[in-house]
Amino acid sequence: MTSFAWALPASRIFSPLTSGLSQLVADVFPVGGWRIYTISGSMPVFDRKSWRLEIAGLVRKPLSLSYDDLLSLPRAEQISTFHCVTGWTVKDVHWAGVRFKHLLALSEPLPEARAIRFVSLEQPYTDSLTLQQATQGDVMLAYEMDAKPLTRPHGSPARVVIPEMYGYKGVKWLTRMELVASEPTGYWENLGYDQNAWVGRSNGYG
Ligand SMILES: Nc1nc2c(c(=O)[nH]1)N[C@H]1C(S)=C(S)[C@@H](COP(=O)(O)O)O[C@H]1N2
Ligand SMILES: [Mo]
Protein backbone atom coordinates (compact mmCIF):
# COMPACT_ATOMS: atom_id res chain seq x y z
CA MET A 1 0.00 0.00 0.00
CA THR A 2 1.18 3.52 -0.58
CA SER A 3 1.00 6.01 2.25
CA PHE A 4 -1.96 7.62 0.50
CA ALA A 5 -4.01 4.47 0.37
CA TRP A 6 -5.69 4.97 3.74
CA ALA A 7 -6.89 8.42 2.75
CA LEU A 8 -8.12 7.48 -0.72
CA PRO A 9 -9.95 4.17 -0.72
CA ALA A 10 -10.56 2.91 -4.24
CA SER A 11 -14.31 2.98 -3.70
CA ARG A 12 -14.17 6.75 -3.26
CA ILE A 13 -11.61 7.50 -5.90
CA PHE A 14 -13.54 5.63 -8.54
CA SER A 15 -16.96 7.09 -8.13
CA PRO A 16 -18.86 6.45 -11.36
CA LEU A 17 -19.56 10.13 -11.75
CA THR A 18 -15.95 11.22 -11.78
CA SER A 19 -14.11 8.76 -13.95
CA GLY A 20 -12.05 11.43 -15.71
CA LEU A 21 -11.00 12.90 -12.42
CA SER A 22 -10.56 9.39 -11.06
CA GLN A 23 -8.00 8.64 -13.73
CA LEU A 24 -6.13 11.78 -12.75
CA VAL A 25 -6.25 10.90 -9.07
CA ALA A 26 -5.20 7.34 -9.80
CA ASP A 27 -2.21 8.54 -11.79
CA VAL A 28 -1.11 10.87 -9.02
CA PHE A 29 -1.88 8.55 -6.11
CA PRO A 30 -1.51 4.99 -7.36
CA VAL A 31 -2.97 2.48 -4.89
CA GLY A 32 -0.75 -0.49 -4.12
CA GLY A 33 1.41 0.20 -7.16
CA TRP A 34 -1.42 -0.12 -9.67
CA ARG A 35 -2.28 2.47 -12.28
CA ILE A 36 -5.88 2.18 -13.34
CA TYR A 37 -6.17 2.13 -17.11
CA THR A 38 -9.10 2.67 -19.43
CA ILE A 39 -9.01 3.57 -23.10
CA SER A 40 -12.40 5.25 -23.07
CA GLY A 41 -12.20 7.27 -19.88
CA SER A 42 -15.15 5.41 -18.40
CA MET A 43 -15.50 2.10 -16.65
CA PRO A 44 -18.18 -0.44 -17.49
CA VAL A 45 -20.60 -1.21 -14.66
CA PHE A 46 -20.89 -4.85 -13.65
CA ASP A 47 -24.49 -5.93 -13.05
CA ARG A 48 -24.52 -9.35 -11.44
CA LYS A 49 -27.91 -10.31 -12.91
CA SER A 50 -27.37 -9.28 -16.52
CA TRP A 51 -23.62 -9.86 -17.03
CA ARG A 52 -22.76 -12.73 -19.33
CA LEU A 53 -19.58 -14.30 -20.60
CA GLU A 54 -20.23 -15.47 -24.15
CA ILE A 55 -18.03 -18.18 -25.60
CA ALA A 56 -18.57 -18.21 -29.35
CA GLY A 57 -16.94 -18.73 -32.75
CA LEU A 58 -15.29 -22.03 -33.61
CA VAL A 59 -16.90 -24.09 -30.85
CA ARG A 60 -19.30 -27.01 -30.82
CA LYS A 61 -21.23 -25.54 -27.90
CA PRO A 62 -21.59 -21.77 -27.85
CA LEU A 63 -22.13 -20.70 -24.25
CA SER A 64 -23.50 -17.80 -22.31
CA LEU A 65 -22.31 -18.04 -18.72
CA SER A 66 -23.68 -16.01 -15.85
CA TYR A 67 -21.48 -14.76 -13.03
CA ASP A 68 -22.76 -17.58 -10.82
CA ASP A 69 -21.97 -20.09 -13.58
CA LEU A 70 -18.43 -18.73 -13.66
CA LEU A 71 -18.05 -19.02 -9.88
CA SER A 72 -19.29 -22.61 -9.98
CA LEU A 73 -16.41 -23.72 -12.22
CA PRO A 74 -13.26 -25.22 -10.67
CA ARG A 75 -11.46 -22.47 -8.79
CA ALA A 76 -7.77 -21.80 -9.30
CA GLU A 77 -5.52 -19.53 -7.27
CA GLN A 78 -2.08 -18.13 -7.88
CA ILE A 79 0.34 -15.46 -6.76
CA SER A 80 2.09 -13.73 -9.61
CA THR A 81 3.79 -10.48 -10.52
CA PHE A 82 2.09 -8.04 -12.85
CA HIS A 83 4.05 -5.98 -15.39
CA CYS A 84 2.82 -3.09 -17.48
CA VAL A 85 4.84 -2.43 -20.61
CA THR A 86 5.26 1.20 -19.52
CA GLY A 87 7.51 0.06 -16.69
CA TRP A 88 5.48 -0.36 -13.51
CA THR A 89 5.18 -3.66 -11.71
CA VAL A 90 3.02 -5.02 -8.90
CA LYS A 91 4.59 -7.91 -7.02
CA ASP A 92 2.78 -10.88 -5.53
CA VAL A 93 -0.75 -10.26 -6.69
CA HIS A 94 -3.11 -12.94 -5.36
CA TRP A 95 -5.52 -13.99 -8.10
CA ALA A 96 -8.42 -16.42 -8.04
CA GLY A 97 -10.43 -17.47 -11.03
CA VAL A 98 -10.88 -20.14 -13.63
CA ARG A 99 -8.33 -21.81 -15.90
CA PHE A 100 -9.11 -21.49 -19.58
CA LYS A 101 -8.89 -25.24 -20.07
CA HIS A 102 -12.07 -25.58 -18.01
CA LEU A 103 -13.92 -22.89 -19.97
CA LEU A 104 -12.74 -24.41 -23.23
CA ALA A 105 -13.74 -27.92 -22.20
CA LEU A 106 -17.31 -26.70 -21.71
CA SER A 107 -17.51 -25.05 -25.11
CA GLU A 108 -15.61 -27.74 -27.07
CA PRO A 109 -13.44 -25.83 -29.56
CA LEU A 110 -13.46 -27.18 -33.14
CA PRO A 111 -10.16 -28.62 -34.45
CA GLU A 112 -9.49 -25.51 -36.55
CA ALA A 113 -9.66 -23.18 -33.52
CA ARG A 114 -6.19 -21.84 -32.73
CA ALA A 115 -6.72 -18.64 -30.73
CA ILE A 116 -9.11 -16.76 -28.48
CA ARG A 117 -10.21 -13.20 -29.12
CA PHE A 118 -11.12 -11.52 -25.81
CA VAL A 119 -13.69 -8.73 -25.97
CA SER A 120 -14.14 -6.15 -23.21
CA LEU A 121 -17.35 -4.41 -22.29
CA GLU A 122 -15.18 -1.34 -22.69
CA GLN A 123 -15.27 -0.83 -26.42
CA PRO A 124 -13.23 -1.14 -28.53
CA TYR A 125 -10.75 -2.95 -26.24
CA THR A 126 -9.88 -6.45 -27.43
CA ASP A 127 -6.83 -8.68 -27.35
CA SER A 128 -6.07 -12.29 -28.06
CA LEU A 129 -4.01 -15.29 -27.04
CA THR A 130 -3.27 -18.52 -28.85
CA LEU A 131 -4.91 -21.57 -27.27
CA GLN A 132 -1.44 -22.74 -26.35
CA GLN A 133 -0.73 -19.48 -24.47
CA ALA A 134 -4.14 -19.37 -22.82
CA THR A 135 -3.78 -22.88 -21.43
CA GLN A 136 -0.36 -22.36 -19.82
CA GLY A 137 -0.30 -23.18 -16.11
CA ASP A 138 -0.29 -19.63 -14.76
CA VAL A 139 -2.89 -18.11 -17.10
CA MET A 140 -6.44 -17.57 -15.89
CA LEU A 141 -9.65 -15.67 -16.10
CA ALA A 142 -9.52 -13.93 -12.72
CA TYR A 143 -12.54 -12.88 -10.70
CA GLU A 144 -10.74 -12.10 -7.43
CA MET A 145 -7.71 -9.98 -6.68
CA ASP A 146 -6.07 -10.10 -3.26
CA ALA A 147 -8.93 -12.16 -1.79
CA LYS A 148 -11.71 -9.80 -2.85
CA PRO A 149 -14.01 -9.82 -5.85
CA LEU A 150 -12.43 -7.84 -8.65
CA THR A 151 -13.26 -4.16 -8.22
CA ARG A 152 -14.70 -2.01 -10.97
CA PRO A 153 -11.41 -0.18 -11.72
CA HIS A 154 -9.60 -3.51 -12.00
CA GLY A 155 -12.12 -4.94 -14.47
CA SER A 156 -15.06 -6.46 -12.60
CA PRO A 157 -16.25 -9.09 -12.76
CA ALA A 158 -13.47 -10.84 -14.69
CA ARG A 159 -10.17 -10.11 -16.41
CA VAL A 160 -7.57 -12.11 -18.28
CA VAL A 161 -4.31 -12.74 -16.36
CA ILE A 162 -1.13 -13.88 -18.12
CA PRO A 163 1.82 -12.97 -15.86
CA GLU A 164 4.53 -13.72 -18.41
CA MET A 165 3.12 -11.14 -20.82
CA TYR A 166 2.69 -7.41 -20.38
CA GLY A 167 -0.53 -6.16 -18.86
CA TYR A 168 -2.17 -5.00 -22.09
CA LYS A 169 -2.88 -8.65 -22.94
CA GLY A 170 -5.09 -8.81 -19.83
CA VAL A 171 -8.46 -7.62 -21.04
CA LYS A 172 -10.53 -6.13 -18.19
CA TRP A 173 -14.36 -6.19 -18.01
CA LEU A 174 -14.36 -9.33 -20.14
CA THR A 175 -17.69 -10.22 -21.74
CA ARG A 176 -16.90 -12.41 -24.74
CA MET A 177 -14.41 -15.01 -25.91
CA GLU A 178 -14.37 -15.89 -29.60
CA LEU A 179 -12.55 -18.96 -30.80
CA VAL A 180 -10.83 -18.17 -34.08
CA ALA A 181 -8.51 -19.87 -36.58
CA SER A 182 -5.75 -17.28 -36.44
CA GLU A 183 -4.89 -14.69 -33.84
CA PRO A 184 -6.41 -11.27 -34.52
CA THR A 185 -4.54 -8.13 -33.49
CA GLY A 186 -5.86 -6.31 -30.46
CA TYR A 187 -6.25 -2.70 -29.45
CA TRP A 188 -2.59 -2.10 -28.53
CA GLU A 189 -1.21 -4.32 -31.29
CA ASN A 190 -3.04 -2.10 -33.77
CA LEU A 191 -1.05 0.78 -32.29
CA GLY A 192 2.25 -1.02 -32.78
CA TYR A 193 2.74 -3.19 -29.70
CA ASP A 194 3.83 -6.80 -30.04
CA GLN A 195 1.31 -9.59 -30.43
CA ASN A 196 3.46 -11.81 -28.23
CA ALA A 197 4.00 -9.50 -25.29
CA TRP A 198 6.50 -11.62 -23.32
CA VAL A 199 7.86 -9.67 -20.38
CA GLY A 200 11.47 -8.71 -21.12
CA ARG A 201 11.39 -10.17 -24.62
CA SER A 202 9.07 -7.92 -26.58
CA ASN A 203 8.33 -4.36 -27.57
CA GLY A 204 11.95 -3.55 -28.16
CA TYR A 205 13.26 -4.86 -24.83
CA GLY A 206 14.27 -8.20 -26.31
N1 LIG B 1 -10.69 -2.96 -21.02
C1 LIG B 1 -9.42 -2.63 -20.76
N2 LIG B 1 -8.58 -3.56 -20.33
C2 LIG B 1 -7.29 -3.24 -20.06
C3 LIG B 1 -6.81 -1.93 -20.29
C4 LIG B 1 -7.72 -0.95 -20.73
O1 LIG B 1 -7.41 0.23 -20.92
N3 LIG B 1 -9.03 -1.34 -20.96
N4 LIG B 1 -5.47 -1.62 -20.07
C5 LIG B 1 -4.54 -2.76 -20.05
C6 LIG B 1 -3.22 -2.39 -19.55
S1 LIG B 1 -2.16 -1.62 -20.64
C7 LIG B 1 -2.81 -2.71 -18.29
S2 LIG B 1 -1.22 -2.45 -17.76
C8 LIG B 1 -3.74 -3.29 -17.31
C9 LIG B 1 -3.84 -2.37 -16.10
O2 LIG B 1 -4.63 -2.97 -15.11
P1 LIG B 1 -5.27 -2.06 -13.97
O3 LIG B 1 -6.06 -0.97 -14.66
O4 LIG B 1 -6.10 -2.99 -13.16
O5 LIG B 1 -4.13 -1.48 -13.21
O6 LIG B 1 -5.06 -3.48 -17.85
C10 LIG B 1 -5.08 -3.90 -19.20
N5 LIG B 1 -6.45 -4.20 -19.59
MO1 LIG C 1 -0.11 -1.55 -19.61
Side-chain angles (χ1 to χ4, degrees):
M1 297 286 269
T2 69
S3 51
F4 296 105
W6 61 271
L8 294 163
S11 58
R12 282 188 45 216
I13 299 173
F14 302 109
S15 147
L17 296 174
T18 58
S19 63
L21 178 65
S22 302
Q23 183 61 63
L24 209 67
V25 173
D27 285 345
V28 180
F29 303 108
V31 174
W34 293 96
R35 308 284 192 285
I36 301 302
Y37 285 165
T38 68
I39 52 159
S40 62
S42 68
M43 301 182 194
V45 179
F46 163 50
D47 173 48
R48 189 174 178 136
K49 286 216 176 81
S50 64
W51 180 83
R52 290 291 180 279
L53 175 62
E54 313 280 347
I55 306 182
L58 300 173
V59 292
R60 262 185 211 100
K61 296 186 182 160
L63 290 176
S64 176
L65 301 177
S66 69
Y67 185 60
D68 291 330
D69 292 338
L70 188 68
L71 297 189
S72 73
L73 293 173
R75 176 188 168 95
E77 294 182 20
Q78 69 187 49
I79 300 175
S80 51
T81 296
F82 185 92
H83 302 273
C84 173
V85 71
T86 61
W88 54 270
T89 284
V90 182
K91 283 199 182 134
D92 298 335
V93 187
H94 292 233
W95 300 105
V98 175
R99 299 286 176 209
F100 286 106
K101 70 174 177 195
H102 292 299
L103 286 167
L104 294 172
L106 289 176
S107 54
E108 298 181 19
L110 297 171
E112 58 268 36
R114 285 279 176 276
I116 310 174
R117 176 172 180 262
F118 297 100
V119 181
S120 177
L121 273 173
E122 189 204 16
Q123 292 175 356
Y125 204 99
T126 65
D127 211 308
S128 61
L129 294 173
T130 65
L131 289 184
Q132 202 180 13
Q133 292 164 355
T135 52
Q136 285 183 346
D138 57 353
V139 181
M140 63 160 62
L141 179 59
Y143 51 66
E144 283 180 20
M145 178 199 277
D146 295 332
K148 277 176 244 122
L150 215 55
T151 59
R152 186 179 175 203
H154 286 301
S156 56
R159 71 187 284 165
V160 177
V161 171
I162 176 162
E164 286 177 42
M165 288 197 186
Y166 287 117
Y168 64 89
K169 301 299 283 188
V171 175
K172 302 194 292 180
W173 304 292
L174 188 71
T175 191
R176 186 175 167 84
M177 294 168 43
E178 268 170 41
L179 280 281
V180 291
S182 61
E183 212 188 357
T185 53
Y187 181 83
W188 286 111
E189 286 89 357
N190 290 336
L191 296 172
Y193 284 84
D194 288 349
Q195 183 81 272
N196 289 316
W198 302 113
V199 172
R201 290 186 277 136
S202 63
N203 294 299
Y205 300 116

Coordinates of all heavy atoms in Angstrom, one line a residue, residues 79-113:
I79 N -0.3 -16.7 -7.1 CA 0.3 -15.5 -6.8 C 1.3 -15.2 -7.9 O 2.2 -16.0 -8.2 CB 1.1 -15.6 -5.4 CG1 0.1 -16.0 -4.3 CG2 1.8 -14.3 -5.1 CD1 0.7 -16.2 -3.0
S80 N 1.2 -14.0 -8.5 CA 2.1 -13.7 -9.6 C 2.3 -12.2 -9.7 O 1.6 -11.4 -9.2 CB 1.6 -14.3 -10.9 OG 0.2 -13.9 -11.2
T81 N 3.4 -11.9 -10.4 CA 3.8 -10.5 -10.5 C 3.2 -9.9 -11.8 O 3.1 -10.6 -12.8 CB 5.3 -10.4 -10.5 OG1 5.8 -10.8 -9.2 CG2 5.8 -8.9 -10.7
F82 N 2.8 -8.7 -11.7 CA 2.1 -8.0 -12.9 C 3.0 -7.0 -13.4 O 3.5 -6.1 -12.7 CB 0.8 -7.4 -12.4 CG -0.1 -6.8 -13.4 CD1 -1.0 -7.6 -14.1 CD2 0.1 -5.5 -13.9 CE1 -1.8 -7.0 -15.1 CE2 -0.6 -4.9 -14.9 CZ -1.6 -5.7 -15.5
H83 N 3.2 -7.0 -14.7 CA 4.0 -6.0 -15.4 C 3.3 -5.2 -16.5 O 2.8 -5.8 -17.4 CB 5.2 -6.7 -16.1 CG 6.1 -7.5 -15.2 ND1 7.1 -7.0 -14.5 CD2 6.0 -8.8 -14.9 CE1 7.7 -8.0 -13.9 NE2 7.1 -9.1 -14.1
C84 N 3.3 -3.9 -16.4 CA 2.8 -3.1 -17.5 C 4.0 -2.8 -18.4 O 5.1 -2.5 -17.9 CB 2.2 -1.8 -17.0 SG 1.7 -0.7 -18.3
V85 N 3.8 -2.7 -19.7 CA 4.8 -2.4 -20.6 C 5.4 -1.0 -20.4 O 6.6 -0.8 -20.8 CB 4.3 -2.6 -22.1 CG1 3.3 -1.5 -22.5 CG2 5.4 -2.7 -23.1
T86 N 4.7 -0.1 -19.7 CA 5.3 1.2 -19.5 C 6.2 1.2 -18.4 O 6.8 2.3 -18.1 CB 4.1 2.2 -19.3 OG1 3.4 1.8 -18.1 CG2 3.2 2.3 -20.4
G87 N 6.4 0.1 -17.7 CA 7.5 0.1 -16.7 C 7.1 -0.2 -15.2 O 8.0 -0.4 -14.4
W88 N 5.8 -0.1 -14.9 CA 5.5 -0.4 -13.5 C 5.1 -1.8 -13.3 O 4.7 -2.5 -14.2 CB 4.4 0.6 -13.0 CG 3.1 0.6 -13.8 CD1 2.8 1.4 -14.9 CD2 1.9 -0.2 -13.6 NE1 1.6 1.1 -15.3 CE2 1.0 0.2 -14.6 CE3 1.6 -1.3 -12.7 CZ2 -0.3 -0.4 -14.7 CZ3 0.4 -1.9 -12.8 CH2 -0.6 -1.4 -13.8
T89 N 5.3 -2.2 -12.1 CA 5.2 -3.7 -11.7 C 4.5 -3.7 -10.4 O 4.7 -2.9 -9.5 CB 6.6 -4.3 -11.6 OG1 7.1 -4.5 -12.9 CG2 6.6 -5.6 -10.9
V90 N 3.6 -4.7 -10.2 CA 3.0 -5.0 -8.9 C 3.4 -6.5 -8.5 O 3.1 -7.4 -9.3 CB 1.5 -4.8 -8.9 CG1 0.9 -5.1 -7.5 CG2 1.1 -3.4 -9.4
K91 N 4.1 -6.6 -7.4 CA 4.6 -7.9 -7.0 C 3.5 -8.7 -6.3 O 2.7 -8.1 -5.6 CB 5.8 -7.7 -6.1 CG 7.1 -7.4 -6.9 CD 8.3 -7.7 -6.0 CE 9.5 -7.3 -6.8 NZ 10.5 -6.6 -6.0
D92 N 3.6 -10.0 -6.4 CA 2.8 -10.9 -5.5 C 1.3 -10.5 -5.5 O 0.7 -10.4 -4.4 CB 3.3 -10.9 -4.1 CG 4.8 -11.4 -4.1 OD1 5.1 -12.2 -5.0 OD2 5.5 -11.0 -3.1
V93 N 0.7 -10.5 -6.6 CA -0.8 -10.3 -6.7 C -1.4 -11.6 -6.5 O -1.0 -12.6 -7.1 CB -1.2 -9.7 -8.1 CG1 -2.7 -9.3 -8.0 CG2 -0.3 -8.5 -8.4
H94 N -2.4 -11.7 -5.6 CA -3.1 -12.9 -5.4 C -4.3 -13.0 -6.3 O -5.2 -12.1 -6.1 CB -3.6 -13.1 -3.9 CG -2.5 -13.2 -2.9 ND1 -2.4 -14.3 -2.0 CD2 -1.3 -12.5 -2.7 CE1 -1.4 -14.2 -1.3 NE2 -0.7 -13.1 -1.7
W95 N -4.4 -13.9 -7.2 CA -5.5 -14.0 -8.1 C -6.3 -15.3 -7.8 O -5.7 -16.3 -7.5 CB -5.0 -14.1 -9.6 CG -4.2 -12.9 -10.1 CD1 -2.9 -12.9 -10.3 CD2 -4.7 -11.6 -10.5 NE1 -2.5 -11.7 -10.8 CE2 -3.6 -10.9 -10.9 CE3 -6.0 -11.0 -10.5 CZ2 -3.7 -9.6 -11.4 CZ3 -6.1 -9.7 -11.0 CH2 -5.0 -9.0 -11.4
A96 N -7.6 -15.2 -8.0 CA -8.4 -16.4 -8.0 C -9.3 -16.3 -9.2 O -9.8 -15.2 -9.6 CB -9.2 -16.6 -6.8
G97 N -9.6 -17.5 -9.8 CA -10.4 -17.5 -11.0 C -10.5 -18.9 -11.6 O -10.5 -19.9 -10.9
V98 N -10.6 -18.9 -12.9 CA -10.9 -20.1 -13.6 C -9.8 -20.3 -14.7 O -9.4 -19.4 -15.4 CB -12.3 -20.1 -14.3 CG1 -12.5 -21.3 -15.1 CG2 -13.4 -19.9 -13.3
R99 N -9.3 -21.5 -14.8 CA -8.3 -21.8 -15.9 C -9.1 -21.9 -17.2 O -10.2 -22.5 -17.3 CB -7.6 -23.1 -15.6 CG -6.8 -23.1 -14.4 CD -5.5 -22.3 -14.5 NE -4.8 -22.3 -13.2 CZ -4.0 -21.3 -12.7 NH1 -3.9 -20.3 -13.5 NH2 -3.4 -21.4 -11.6
F100 N -8.4 -21.5 -18.3 CA -9.1 -21.5 -19.6 C -9.4 -22.9 -20.1 O -10.4 -23.1 -20.8 CB -8.3 -20.7 -20.6 CG -8.4 -19.2 -20.4 CD1 -7.4 -18.5 -19.9 CD2 -9.6 -18.6 -20.7 CE1 -7.5 -17.1 -19.7 CE2 -9.8 -17.2 -20.5 CZ -8.7 -16.5 -19.9
K101 N -8.6 -23.9 -19.6 CA -8.9 -25.2 -20.1 C -10.3 -25.7 -19.6 O -11.0 -26.4 -20.3 CB -7.8 -26.2 -19.6 CG -7.8 -26.5 -18.1 CD -6.8 -27.6 -17.8 CE -6.7 -27.7 -16.3 NZ -5.6 -28.5 -15.8
H102 N -10.7 -25.2 -18.5 CA -12.1 -25.6 -18.0 C -13.2 -24.9 -18.8 O -14.2 -25.5 -19.2 CB -12.2 -25.3 -16.5 CG -11.4 -26.1 -15.7 ND1 -11.5 -27.5 -15.6 CD2 -10.3 -25.8 -14.8 CE1 -10.6 -28.0 -14.8 NE2 -9.9 -27.0 -14.3
L103 N -12.9 -23.6 -19.1 CA -13.9 -22.9 -20.0 C -14.0 -23.5 -21.4 O -15.1 -23.7 -21.9 CB -13.5 -21.4 -20.1 CG -13.8 -20.6 -18.8 CD1 -13.0 -19.2 -18.9 CD2 -15.3 -20.4 -18.6
L104 N -12.8 -23.9 -21.9 CA -12.7 -24.4 -23.2 C -13.4 -25.8 -23.3 O -14.1 -26.1 -24.2 CB -11.3 -24.5 -23.7 CG -10.6 -23.1 -23.9 CD1 -9.2 -23.2 -24.2 CD2 -11.3 -22.3 -25.0
A105 N -13.2 -26.6 -22.2 CA -13.7 -27.9 -22.2 C -15.3 -27.8 -22.3 O -15.9 -28.7 -23.0 CB -13.3 -28.6 -20.9
L106 N -15.9 -26.8 -21.7 CA -17.3 -26.7 -21.7 C -17.8 -26.4 -23.1 O -18.9 -26.8 -23.5 CB -17.8 -25.6 -20.8 CG -17.7 -25.7 -19.3 CD1 -18.1 -24.5 -18.6 CD2 -18.6 -26.9 -18.9
S107 N -17.0 -25.6 -23.8 CA -17.5 -25.0 -25.1 C -17.0 -25.9 -26.3 O -17.5 -25.8 -27.4 CB -17.1 -23.6 -25.3 OG -15.7 -23.5 -25.2
E108 N -16.1 -26.8 -26.1 CA -15.6 -27.7 -27.1 C -15.2 -27.1 -28.4 O -15.9 -27.1 -29.4 CB -16.7 -28.8 -27.4 CG -17.0 -29.6 -26.2 CD -18.1 -30.7 -26.5 OE1 -18.3 -31.0 -27.7 OE2 -18.7 -31.2 -25.5
P109 N -14.0 -26.5 -28.4 CA -13.4 -25.8 -29.6 C -13.4 -26.8 -30.7 O -13.0 -28.0 -30.5 CB -12.0 -25.4 -29.2 CG -12.1 -25.3 -27.7 CD -13.1 -26.3 -27.2
L110 N -13.6 -26.4 -31.9 CA -13.5 -27.2 -33.1 C -12.0 -27.3 -33.4 O -11.2 -26.5 -33.0 CB -14.2 -26.5 -34.3 CG -15.7 -26.4 -34.1 CD1 -16.3 -25.5 -35.2 CD2 -16.4 -27.7 -34.1
P111 N -11.6 -28.4 -34.2 CA -10.2 -28.6 -34.5 C -9.5 -27.4 -35.1 O -8.3 -27.2 -34.8 CB -10.2 -29.8 -35.4 CG -11.5 -30.4 -35.3 CD -12.5 -29.4 -34.8
E112 N -10.2 -26.6 -35.9 CA -9.5 -25.5 -36.6 C -9.3 -24.3 -35.6 O -8.6 -23.3 -36.0 CB -10.2 -25.1 -37.8 CG -11.7 -24.7 -37.7 CD -12.7 -25.9 -37.8 OE1 -12.3 -27.0 -37.4 OE2 -13.8 -25.6 -38.3
A113 N -9.8 -24.3 -34.4 CA -9.7 -23.2 -33.5 C -8.2 -23.1 -33.0 O -7.7 -24.1 -32.6 CB -10.6 -23.3 -32.3

